[in-house]
Amino acid sequence: MGNGREKASTSVICLDEPGKELLLMGNEAIARGALEAGVKVCTAYPGTPSTDIIETLAGVAKSMGIYVEWSINEKVALEVAASASFSGMRAICAMKQNGLNVASDFLLSLNLIGIEGGLLLVCCDDPSAHSSTNEQDSRPFAKMADLPLLEPSTFQEAKEMTRWAFTLSEEIKNVCILRGVTRTSHARGNVTLGALLPSNDRKVYFDKERQRNTHPVHQKHNQLHKNLLYLEEVLATSPFNQYQGPRQPKVLIITCGSGWLYSLEAVEMMGLEDFVGVLKIGTLWPLPTKTIVENLQKSDQILFVEEVDPFLEGNVKEIAADFSRQIGPKAFFGKRSQHVPFYGEMNSDRVIEALGRILEVRYQARDPQYEAKAAEVAEKIIPGRVLGFCPGCPHRASFWAVKNALQLDNREGFVTGDIGCYALGRGPTGFFLLKTSGAMGSGTGLASGFGKLAPFGFDQPVIAMCGDSTFFHAAMPALVNAYYNKSNLILVILDNRATAMTGFQPHPGVGMNAMGEEVTPVDIAGVCGAFGAKVEVTDPFDLPGTEQKILQALEDSTGVKVIIMRRECAMLKMGEEKIPYKVQVDTRKCVGEDCGCGRLCTRVFRCPGLIWDPGMAKAKIDEVLCVGCGVCADICPGKAIVKEEAK
Amino acid sequence: MRANSESYNLIITGVGGQGNVLSSQLIGQALVRKGFFVTIGETYGASQRGGAVMSHVRISSKKQLSPLIPKGKADIVVALEPVEALRVLTIYGNPETVVIANTRPFYPIEVTSGNEKYPGEEEIKKTLESLSREVYYIPATEKAGQLGLPILANIIMIGALLESNLLPLRVEEFRQTLENNFRGERMEINLQALEEGRKIIWTERTKSFMINPEK
């Protein structure tokens, strides 16, 4: 769909059937909410767990008459969305938590600039960092930018909040932020559709009478805070904030987002419905002070249940301090009291644990005998399953060539990594090559720095590795920096023709846009060559050729060298063409442990399609998993792995 | 069987790339059509990259449940890979859990490399049975291979799940959902896979009836 393929589930998003109930992902519900609000321009840079919002909208762009784009990065995405808003249209811009860091530069001006058409920024956080480099909480950005922040607790609410956020945004003439987390955005549940907003005939134009900038800064900053005071009043009556429980609970849980359902379930499982009340806050910034004060008066023991940082916890305590005479002393429990862990996702079990400690109630999930058996099985019987590159992944070959070249070069050269599937290169299937990783494009920025350390005695060669989409997102400025400052580095660009990690979205180098239209691709080699980098292009499946090019680059200790390793992602090819090779192990030639290769194929190369047959004590192809790339045949020193062109 | 209770906790587990997410989505869609509340929480970062994956499918006739099943509260575990059934049981299983397990192992790379050991078939079976009420063994990958597409193992497993009457969902109702998602040849082959899965359970049941008519 990102590349023009229609997903079956996508088309239901634009059904004009109010009242129809569907199973939707939270992100799809957000997309639907935006459509119901009459959104016209939708932008994002892909990032789990936010990607599906814009991907869903891309799939219906033509039929709904909206414009959808994968922008080059989150800051540009917000700028594109803002231009639509300045022209009077409603726009949505989605990103993951790290993306908000990139977009924040513009966001912290845009809040002062103000908007025209409703503008919603959706940011999805990834507690437990399932698919992220950090466990960042994006909510403090709303506080920093003095902008309203909503956080849905259910899939239905994700849709309702999205729709309402556009109205709110237009009312205060400023950006509204909606925060998702993995378990609200990337989970699925029931959603009842509402009506789609009929399109209006408002003229789309930029009012030249107004200058859209941050000046006068003092006055506009003042206005932001006045907006917040006004919003506190409005939000005091919001249906997104609600209390459920007894009139005077022994413990009041204050929660938001995914924490709400976990809290209700925990209370029910422990049978504490008569003793514990749950206050759900859906409007996270500004907090609805009146609602909070009223509820704080119900109990003198307060437990906070929220994901990532103690945001509600800290800010509610601030309100409690302001109103301390009215509400009296409280005992607060949460992350700071360590009744709830500082890290990781929330779940019902964590709420049960916290409530159990506060109320001294025992809860046993399973009988101790079963528990002991389960623990024994987990420890003694179940092997781990580390992530690795897929069978046929071009990255495995690329990392193999880099590993061998660095070994041959023998000067303790190392690799700085980046963000994408190839970040797995820090683990066994990338031969532990990646020695640094940080933000998008950081590998190149770091390499640019290492390349300037020679005068201080630094003599290790440095190779930065980044993907094609990451190159456009953030590595490009770092590479120009390296060239301009006469740094010495090698940048390997793993060009697999997609933003693969997030689901194969197209990028500027692919030749297709988010809506499936053909566009002129931006040639990465041309871009690098244009400012003077020495550029080589290679097919990573040509192992000797690729290795040779890396060695040549390593020998050249001057300037910026770029090696583009170009081969399409194996997943993109799946089902589209026949398997290139029939690969087999010649059991007469494979002598297993006696070979002297140290089981290079299964111990070092580690493709899931290539397994070890303990009975035969030889390597073996798993025919279900092997995609016939044939690379393993080229690494086998005994020529025991044989590839034949498939018929 | 408990196909008439108020809520069901189903976990579909396997290895990235086995069609785990699609399976849970199809079952969820069918149950929402029937008027149930369904919540699905899935691990996905590992999808396509060889990691252990699972979807928590929570079904209720009363309310929207949270996206994660609490510890020890899985009613049904459908495992597209046998060791993954064990992994799930150690956290979410209880003595009443019913397991439907594909018999085909997919070896982790640490097993292939010789750093870790994959348990033998007998050990897996013995352990699965000690942590559950009942286990159905389904040679799903093998049967899918016979249909020409190993990826269909997931639909075969769904066929087995539906035939075992553990969910308030009939095969005809699920077929409708398949039709909403697949067309033409794709639909045909999925229907065949569904029938294969049903047949395995049906045959098993007839066998046990023959051996023990009291049951």
Side-chain angles (χ1 to χ4, degrees), chain A residues 565-579:
Chain A
M565 302 194 181
R566 182 174 293 156
R567 182 167 270 271
E568 199 176 35
C569 168
M571 285 292 136
L572 270 179
K573 290 179 133 179
M574 225 177 200
E576 283 174 19
E577 57 183 64
K578 66 179 175 89
I579 279 182

Side-chain angles (χ1 to χ4, degrees), chain B:
Chain B
M1 296 297 157
R2 49 189 302 282
N4 54 0
S5 60
E6 186 184 296
S7 68
Y8 306 81
N9 288 329
L10 160 70
I11 295 182
I12 304 182
T13 184
V15 179
Q18 286 193 296
N20 188 289
V21 170
L22 179 66
S23 310
S24 62
Q25 217 176 309
L26 292 172
I27 290 170
Q29 280 176 16
L31 284 158
V32 168
R33 274 174 61 98
K34 258 197 101 172
F36 284 92
F37 287 97
V38 177
T39 311
I40 305 176
E42 58 211 19
T43 54
Y44 54 86
S47 60
Q48 307 288 17
R49 283 166 274 270
V53 293
M54 62 175 163
S55 301
H56 289 200
V57 184
R58 311 197 63 195
I59 303 146
S60 165
S61 55
K62 296 255 157 49
K63 61 187 173 195
Q64 197 83 54
L65 295 169
S66 78
L68 293 175
I69 295 173
K71 188 178 178 188
K73 298 294 175 214
D75 299 311
I76 312 158
V77 175
V78 172
L80 298 166
E81 206 278 352
V83 150
E84 293 316 309
L86 281 179
R87 199 187 306 278
V88 160
L89 285 174
T90 59
I91 305 166
Y92 301 99
N94 66 65
E96 291 303 308
T97 307
V98 178
V99 178
I100 304 180
N102 184 7
T103 49
R104 165 63 144 87
F106 286 86
Y107 299 111
I109 47 173
E110 290 300 330
V111 167
T112 294
S113 69
N115 294 341
E116 290 200 56
K117 201 177 142 275
Y118 193 92
E121 197 182 319
E122 279 315 305
E123 188 172 22
I124 294 176
K125 284 189 171 174
K126 195 185 77 195
T127 318
L128 278 176
E129 283 156 26
S130 73
L131 291 173
S132 63
R133 188 182 80 203
E134 199 172 0
V135 188
Y136 296 94
Y137 298 101
I138 313 291
T141 303
E142 191 190 317
K143 292 280 177 197
Q146 288 164 10
L147 291 175
L149 266 180
I151 187 73
L152 287 171
N154 63 346
I155 304 293
I156 293 180
M157 294 299 287
I158 294 179
L161 169 67
L162 297 181
E163 188 63 26
S164 65
N165 285 324
L166 294 162
L167 285 183
L169 183 64
R170 293 200 306 269
V171 176
E172 310 81 77
E173 293 160 340
F174 185 74
R175 253 189 226 131
Q176 185 60 49
T177 298
L178 273 184
E179 271 167 33
N180 293 344
N181 285 275
F182 300 103
R183 302 257 179 279
E185 247 176 74
R186 236 22 240 160
M187 178 65 194
E188 275 312 304
I189 193 93
N190 273 290
L191 278 180
Q192 271 183 47
L194 196 67
E195 286 308 308
E196 277 299 327
R198 296 182 65 194
K199 235 190 291 174
I200 297 164
I201 292 288
W202 190 80
T203 320
E204 281 296 308
R205 201 172 282 147
T206 320
K207 252 195 272 173
S208 60
F209 178 76
M210 302 285 281
I211 299 161
N212 184 3
E214 299 292 304
K215 219 170 178 181

Side-chain angles (χ1 to χ4, degrees), chain A residues 422-501:
Chain A
Y422 51 90
L424 291 175
R426 68 178 181 271
T429 59
F431 323 113
F432 305 100
L433 277 187
L434 300 184
K435 300 305 177 196
T436 73
S437 82
M440 293 281 283
S442 287
T444 309
L446 286 168
S448 171
F450 284 122
K452 290 304 293 178
L453 300 182
F456 305 100
F458 184 90
D459 57 2
Q460 293 162 275
V462 178
I463 300 180
M465 285 175 93
C466 83
D468 40 358
S469 194
T470 304
F471 171 76
F472 289 112
H473 181 286
M476 226 164 32
L479 192 66
V480 176
N481 184 73
Y483 182 79
Y484 165 58
N485 289 300
K486 296 191 167 187
S487 183
N488 165 34
L489 69 85
I490 300 168
L491 171 63
V492 168
I493 300 173
L494 302 161
D495 183 3
N496 64 353
R497 318 303 293 159
T499 315
M501 181 87 187

